[in-house]
Amino acid sequence: MDAFKAEGGFLAEIVEAANGDTDSIKLSVVHPDRGLRGKQWQLEGRLKDLTGKNTPTVIDPLVDSGDQPLIHELGILNATSAILVKAAAFGKIHLVGVCNKKPTENNQSPESDPFLAIDGKVLQAIVELIAAGAQVGEQHQRELGKVLNATR
């Protein structure tokens, strides 16, 4: 998260609902850890839109001064700005995000140094590399299992 000058980040699983109900999102990892692992809420708004596309989403409302409003869909994380990327790994859809731009040393206002579209593309590239590595590792594990079973 230091690379994005973000205060926090998360990995969440998109949980497909049965019986045509609305899907939900379940937190797998949150940094810093605030006891939110396993928390689940309804997938809606911009998060739901993100699951239907393969491009990163940057949510960084421009506010002239004062407190930035919470992002409704990420209120549980107290997020006022975020970069969100969809990732597929291990047969599941995940959402990876970094939240809340830190104030810089030269400029104490995160509003004047927002997350940019290029930040979203960088996060997406990193996530895709990690997902590809995980898929290769999973494939090697299956092949090793087949070899071990064949030698018994």
Side-chain angles (χ1 to χ4, degrees):
M1 281 160 299
D2 287 341
F4 296 100
K5 299 178 188 154
E7 293 178 350
F10 68 92
L11 170 68
E13 179 185 341
I14 305 300
V15 180
E16 291 186 27
N19 306 327
D21 290 338
T22 304
D23 293 346
S24 61
I25 184 167
K26 181 178 181 182
L27 289 172
S28 303
V29 178
V30 179
H31 179 79
D33 185 8
R34 295 179 298 194
L36 297 175
R37 184 177 182 174
K39 295 286 184 187
Q40 191 166 336
W41 68 97
Q42 190 173 6
L43 186 63
E44 60 185 12
R46 292 171 279 198
L47 299 183
K48 188 171 189 166
D49 294 343
L50 178 62
T51 62
K53 62 182 186 176
N54 289 321
T55 58
T57 297
V58 176
I59 305 172
D60 204 342
L62 297 176
V63 177
D64 290 336
S65 61
D67 293 333
Q68 280 192 299
L70 284 178
I71 298 168
H72 170 71
E73 302 91 337
L74 297 173
I76 194 170
L77 298 166
N78 294 321
T80 56
S81 61
I83 306 171
L84 306 169
V85 174
K86 180 176 85 170
F90 306 114
K92 297 179 182 180
I93 302 295
H94 295 84
L95 188 63
V96 178
V98 294
C99 302
N100 299 342
K101 188 87 174 205
K102 288 181 185 176
T104 60
E105 291 178 22
N106 299 337
N107 188 348
Q108 292 302 314
S109 172
E111 293 87 14
S112 61
D113 185 22
F115 289 128
L116 303 174
I118 192 68
D119 295 327
K121 292 189 179 298
V122 169
L123 181 60
Q124 182 179 31
I126 292 168
V127 167
E128 286 174 355
L129 285 170
I130 293 169
Q135 289 172 345
V136 167
E138 186 179 33
Q139 179 65 31
H140 285 175
Q141 181 104 15
R142 282 194 302 266
E143 290 172 3
L144 179 60
K146 288 178 184 177
V147 169
L148 290 174
N149 287 336
T151 60
R152 289 184 185 167

